[in-house]
Amino acid sequence: MPADLNPIDNAKFVAARRAVDFVEDGMKLGLGTGSTAAWMVRSLAERVRDEGLRVTCVATSRRTAELAVGLGLDVRTLDEVKWLDLTIDGADEFDTHLNLIKGGGAALLQEKIVATASDQMIVIADAAKEVAQLGAFPLPVEVIPFGWRTTKALVEETLVSMDVIGREVTLRMTGDQPLRTDGQNHILDLHLNRIGNPRQLSLVLNQIPGVVENGLFIDICDTVVVGHPDGRVQVRDINSGRFDEGRVALPPVENIFAGQD
């Protein structure tokens, strides 16, 4: 791991490293997508290498699969594995009820499928991702390319009756072309500022023709691991109400993280 990480990366790293402590030998694991999840994949690979853990992994995106395979992890498809013991993933926002906004990395559909096919979901995040109310981060909605402008208009019309502040909807681009997800769909980003009723909004959005899935993860996350730049880590379990705090030491440069982005 580079010695000159910025404070946010330090926080992401310690959260990821602590979350990997929940992994046990023989587990079937879902691997999330995003910068924090990438630290988790590297930490998991280090445990597999050093402790001889046997784990079977299902990736939530092509880029996570490529990283995991490159680090020597056993990656299978969800159809092969069928059900998972644990999924560890990041989040763009989470609230006190551990409801999430995900999809900043454009992998929300596969992330939600994998998370709901797991006995447990652990979210890893830096402290800045915790919010009193969801919505400051734009809510991603995955839509099929066919008729996406009509779908966008229907989403905008639906937002008029929802408990939100903003209603701007934008098509996510990559360069001058619409972004394509792993499923070859588009992403609409909903700039809502505040979501008063996430459960209602999630249900209503998914009824709109053309919408594949939205980035609201309601009642899916069981535990959140929050990292801080100074190495402190907090673990909150929504089911037991447990709250633990500890510290993760930053490792020396000479380890599995050397040479990684």
Side-chain angles (χ1 to χ4, degrees), residues 118-183:
S118 304
D119 288 335
Q120 184 182 15
M121 181 190 190
I122 295 176
V123 161
I124 47 179
D126 60 271
K129 301 296 174 59
E130 182 173 10
V131 296
Q133 201 161 26
L134 299 176
F137 190 91
L139 174 64
V141 175
E142 187 159 343
V143 301
I144 65 170
F146 176 81
W148 72 263
R149 289 181 175 83
T150 299
T151 304
K152 176 176 178 287
L154 290 170
V155 169
E156 291 168 336
E157 181 180 333
T158 298
L159 291 177
V160 173
S161 61
M162 294 292 102
D163 184 8
V164 297
I165 294 178
R167 296 186 179 88
E168 181 186 4
V169 179
T170 58
L171 178 68
R172 192 179 302 183
M173 306 292 288
T174 175
D176 60 354
Q177 296 296 318
L179 179 143
R180 291 275 184 163
T181 67
D182 280 1

Side-chain angles (χ1 to χ4, degrees), residues 21-259:
D21 290 342
F22 288 88
V23 176
E24 299 176 3
D25 188 50
M27 274 189 166
K28 293 177 286 186
L29 303 172
L31 307 180
T33 294
S35 58
T36 311
W39 288 117
M40 177 272 300
V41 173
R42 292 163 183 153
S43 294
L44 175 63
E46 188 177 60
R47 281 200 66 194
V48 168
R49 182 197 66 187
D50 294 347
E51 301 174 30
L53 286 181
R54 295 165 301 152
V55 295
T56 303
C57 303
V58 172
T60 56
S61 66
R62 284 197 299 267
R63 60 185 178 276
T64 294
E66 290 168 358
L67 174 63
V69 169
L71 292 171
L73 294 174
D74 180 13
V75 177
R76 312 283 182 89
T77 67
L78 184 58
D79 286 334
E80 290 177 295
V81 177
K82 296 183 175 63
W83 196 260
L84 304 169
D85 299 296
L86 172 65
T87 288
I88 305 176
D89 203 348
D92 299 302
E93 284 186 347
F94 69 92
D95 65 15
T96 55
H97 303 291
L98 303 196
N99 294 319
L100 321 169
I101 286 182
K102 289 179 55 55
L108 66 98
L109 175 59
Q110 292 178 192
E111 287 173 332
K112 190 173 282 191
I113 291 171
V114 169
T116 54
S118 304
D119 288 335
Q120 184 182 15
M121 181 190 190
I122 295 176
V123 161
I124 47 179
D126 60 271
K129 301 296 174 59
E130 182 173 10
V131 296
Q133 201 161 26
L134 299 176
F137 190 91
L139 174 64
V141 175
E142 187 159 343
V143 301
I144 65 170
F146 176 81
W148 72 263
R149 289 181 175 83
T150 299
T151 304
K152 176 176 178 287
L154 290 170
V155 169
E156 291 168 336
E157 181 180 333
T158 298
L159 291 177
V160 173
S161 61
M162 294 292 102
D163 184 8
V164 297
I165 294 178
R167 296 186 179 88
E168 181 186 4
V169 179
T170 58
L171 178 68
R172 192 179 302 183
M173 306 292 288
T174 175
D176 60 354
Q177 296 296 318
L179 179 143
R180 291 275 184 163
T181 67
D182 280 1
Q184 296 305 302
N185 296 314
H186 294 334
I187 295 284
L188 298 178
D189 287 313
L190 281 52
H191 304 264
L192 308 177
N193 299 321
R194 179 188 61 80
I195 301 172
N197 191 331
R199 187 184 305 277
Q200 179 192 44
L201 180 61
S202 179
L203 290 171
V204 170
L205 285 173
N206 279 7
Q207 307 237 352
I208 297 173
V211 169
V212 180
E213 189 53 82
N214 72 83
L216 285 165
F217 283 51
I218 310 297
D219 298 334
I220 297 176
C221 175
D222 300 282
T223 303
V224 62
V225 180
V226 182
H228 297 265
D230 62 1
R232 286 181 300 117
V233 181
Q234 298 164 335
V235 178
R236 307 176 198 174
D237 188 312
I238 192 70
N239 300 308
S240 68
R242 191 184 83 244
F243 179 94
D244 297 325
E245 184 164 339
R247 185 173 292 275
V248 171
L250 298 179
V253 175
E254 296 81 10
N255 62 19
I256 198 169
F257 303 103

